[in-house]
Amino acid sequence: MVFVGFRNQIGRMDVNGVIKHVNRNKGKYTEVYLLHKKPLHPSVEKLIYDAGFKTILTDNFKGEIAKLKEENEVEVHDLNDFGDRALSRDIC
């Protein structure tokens, strides 16, 4: 299965959340793709590279996700509502 996360601008909080999720689900994901619209900060790019994830810079999330779904079984996550970022926005 392939993990696909998308967000306009990916930050350290997003990458760290994906790393935690992938580590909790060892063996479930064969690849991890992070889709984004804005260029990555060099430190975020290094974090992604060190984790072994792949990135796709695109303006069309739906199109890229459709391409990935043609080739693999895909689990898609909006990174705005995922991991530590979602918890930091919790109003409770």
Side-chain angles (χ1 to χ4, degrees), residues 42-57:
S43 65
V44 174
E45 197 168 5
K46 181 178 180 346
L47 189 61
I48 291 169
Y49 175 78
D50 291 345
F53 300 163
K54 298 176 182 175
T55 64
I56 300 174
L57 179 64

Side-chain angles (χ1 to χ4, degrees), residues 33-69:
Y33 286 91
L34 300 175
L35 283 57
H36 55 100
K37 290 184 179 181
K38 296 182 180 178
L40 298 171
H41 187 277
S43 65
V44 174
E45 197 168 5
K46 181 178 180 346
L47 189 61
I48 291 169
Y49 175 78
D50 291 345
F53 300 163
K54 298 176 182 175
T55 64
I56 300 174
L57 179 64
T58 182
D59 286 330
N60 183 2
F61 290 144
K62 285 185 180 181
E64 292 296 331
I65 292 169
K67 287 180 195 175
L68 292 169
K69 282 184 175 180

